[in-house]
Amino acid sequence: MIWTLIVFLFTMYVLSKVAFPRIQEALDKRANAIRESIEHAEKTRQEADGILQEYRARLREAREQADEIVARARKAADSAKAQAVDEGREKREELLAAARRDIEAETRRSLERIRKEVADLTVLTTEKVTRKTLTGDDQRKLIDEALAEVDFSVLSGSGAAEGAAS
């Protein structure tokens, strides 16, 4: 038993001088590698958190810009719509004014034709009634009298001054 104890102590001494330092060194290397891996993982996680925060900030900016673009587009659409309505209204007014001018011109032409017809009919009637040909002055006098008696304002829809002035 003593020899066993001596061999045991000797083996322990040799192991403590040769094997234990190497085992301890391997364990220290392993612990350092694990610690470095943990530090690296922590550093990577912090970088990922920073990148995530930056991504969120950029995403928020992009949303704000998108909202701003949509608001500007709506404003531009509203402006274009209002402008189109105004242009349509102006065009309608121009067309109405042109139509009124055309109607008035056509009315004046029609009244002038009617006046000429009345004058011709007056001359013919007068010639038949008097059975003679009238002189130019007589014709003009009869035409003026007949035209003064005819109410052209009823035909034109405008004032009597226009019919009497011609």
Side-chain angles (χ1 to χ4, degrees):
M1 185 163 158
I2 291 191
W3 282 106
T4 305
L5 188 58
I6 292 176
V7 169
F8 176 74
L9 289 176
F10 177 73
T11 305
M12 284 302 285
Y13 176 75
V14 169
L15 284 174
S16 70
K17 293 293 182 186
V18 175
F20 287 154
R22 289 186 182 163
I23 292 172
Q24 187 62 39
E25 184 179 319
L27 289 174
D28 289 343
K29 282 183 183 178
R30 180 70 180 150
N32 286 337
I34 290 171
R35 186 175 29 265
E36 287 175 2
S37 292
I38 290 172
E39 288 173 359
H40 180 69
E42 182 64 27
K43 186 177 179 183
T44 303
R45 186 188 64 78
Q46 288 174 353
E47 289 175 4
D49 286 345
I51 291 171
L52 179 63
Q53 292 300 325
E54 183 179 333
Y55 168 76
R56 287 180 180 164
R58 286 186 182 174
L59 183 61
R60 189 173 27 258
E61 283 180 27
R63 284 184 183 151
E64 289 172 0
Q65 288 175 354
D67 290 343
E68 184 179 320
I69 289 170
V70 168
R72 279 188 282 170
R74 282 187 182 137
K75 187 175 181 180
D78 290 343
S79 174
K81 180 181 174 184
Q83 183 179 3
V85 167
D86 290 344
E87 288 175 359
R89 195 172 289 131
E90 289 174 9
K91 184 68 173 173
R92 183 188 72 205
E93 293 298 324
E94 289 174 8
L95 291 173
L96 283 173
R100 285 184 187 122
R101 286 191 302 270
D102 291 345
I103 290 170
E104 288 174 7
E106 190 61 35
T107 303
R108 281 193 294 274
R109 283 192 291 271
S110 296
L111 288 174
E112 191 60 38
R113 276 189 242 127
I114 291 172
R115 283 186 189 130
K116 287 180 185 178
E117 295 264 339
V118 167
D120 290 342
L121 288 173
T122 303
V123 169
L124 284 174
T125 305
T126 305
E127 284 178 357
K128 285 185 182 184
V129 168
T130 60
R131 298 221 179 249
K132 65 176 189 175
T133 304
L134 299 174
T135 63
D137 290 334
D138 292 337
Q139 286 179 357
R140 177 60 39 208
K141 184 178 176 184
L142 285 174
I143 290 171
D144 288 340
E145 287 174 5
L147 289 177
E149 292 175 6
V150 175
D151 187 10
F152 288 104
S153 64
V154 173
L155 296 175
S156 69
S158 60
E162 187 178 304
S166 297

